Amino acid sequence: AQTVTQSQPEMSVQEAETVTLSCTYDTSESDYYLFWYKQPPSRQMILVIRQEAYKQQNATENRFSVNFQKAAKSFSLKISDSQLGDAAMYFCAYASFSGNTPLVFGKGTRLSVIA
Amino acid sequence: DAEITQSPRHKITETGRQVTLACHQTWNHNNMFWYRQDLGHGLRLIHYSYGVQDTNKGEVSDGYSVSRSNTEDLPLTLESAASSQTSVYFCASSESALRETQYFGPGTRLLVL
């Protein structure tokens, strides 16, 4: 079974600085999808970014980018020019390419942004 | 705009009572999911459904049940609420394949006394 590990329960960053959230996963599959979800305080969880494993190019979405290292089974999220609104729980998730099993989530990283 | 809603947003109940949490989506998505979120455990899957009349158990299904009679709704029932079921519950949906992006509801905060 696949597992997703987020080794940093909490992190903090100064406003306007850059922060990287770590995620590693374990799988025997060669094709899969990886996601980062953001859960702001008392608000709905939303998708931040998504990466298909067969794509070598790292996904980017405005100030959010990933460093996808397939061989190392690592999928870190980089947030540039951090803003107060980036403060949230961030969840890394894995999905099998076959689409037969639901997402597997990590336990989350709580990010604080310091003004 | 399409959306996914949950009701109630907050619920207090007593041990042993039956509780039903509602989830309604207007995305016309085939797949729907129920998760619980607890400190230190992240999101854990309770039940999910691929479509009408289909339901499947997730990681922590004991004490919970779901039924899918239409595309839009997946109610979650706690048959006999226990204090261990105090949690925040999230409903989500996705279009077709389970690998696709999930859209989450706002959550229901349940307290079992």
Side-chain angles (χ1 to χ4, degrees), chain A residues 4-6 8-10 39 89 91 105-110, chain B residues 36-44 59 86-88:
Chain A
V4 176
T5 302
Q6 294 179 249
Q8 307 150 316
E10 295 184 355
Q39 185 183 35
M89 280 288 288
F91 291 95
F105 284 90
K107 293 186 177 181
T109 296
R110 182 174 301 281
Chain B
R36 59 178 290 175
Q37 184 178 22
D38 304 286
L39 198 62
H41 290 279
L43 286 166
R44 291 184 290 176
E59 178 187 357
T86 292
S87 186
V88 181

Side-chain angles (χ1 to χ4, degrees), chain B residues 15-55:
Chain B
T15 302
R17 290 191 179 267
Q18 184 180 79
V19 177
T20 296
L21 308 182
C23 175
H24 179 80
Q25 53 100 0
T26 58
W27 293 98
N28 200 34
H29 284 165
N30 289 326
N31 304 323
M32 296 185 72
F33 311 84
W34 273 104
Y35 297 90
R36 59 178 290 175
Q37 184 178 22
D38 304 286
L39 198 62
H41 290 279
L43 286 166
R44 291 184 290 176
L45 183 64
I46 305 171
H47 283 286
Y48 60 103
S49 168
Y50 293 130
V52 177
Q53 303 300 331
D54 176 79
T55 61

Side-chain angles (χ1 to χ4, degrees), chain A residues 52-99:
Chain A
E52 291 85 354
Y54 61 87
K55 290 186 178 179
Q56 294 191 357
Q57 186 173 5
N58 289 327
T60 299
E61 194 69 42
N62 299 317
R63 296 181 296 106
F64 298 86
S65 62
V66 299
N67 183 7
F68 173 49
Q69 302 288 329
K70 191 173 184 179
K73 295 180 182 176
S74 171
F75 183 62
S76 59
L77 175 70
K78 185 172 83 171
I79 306 173
S80 304
D81 185 25
S82 296
Q83 300 175 0
L84 294 177
D86 295 333
M89 280 288 288
Y90 287 83
F91 291 95
C92 180
Y94 171 102
S96 172
F97 181 81
S98 67

Side-chain angles (χ1 to χ4, degrees), chain A residues 20-57:
Chain A
T20 299
L21 308 184
S22 300
C23 173
T24 59
Y25 56 94
D26 187 28
T27 184
S28 59
E29 299 177 327
S30 58
D31 291 323
Y32 46 86
Y33 293 79
L34 296 164
F35 305 80
W36 278 100
Y37 281 89
K38 171 185 178 181
Q39 185 183 35
S42 302
R43 294 181 62 183
Q44 284 171 254
M45 194 170 317
I46 57 172
L47 177 71
V48 175
I49 203 163
R50 166 189 162 121
Q51 173 82 42
E52 291 85 354
Y54 61 87
K55 290 186 178 179
Q56 294 191 357
Q57 186 173 5

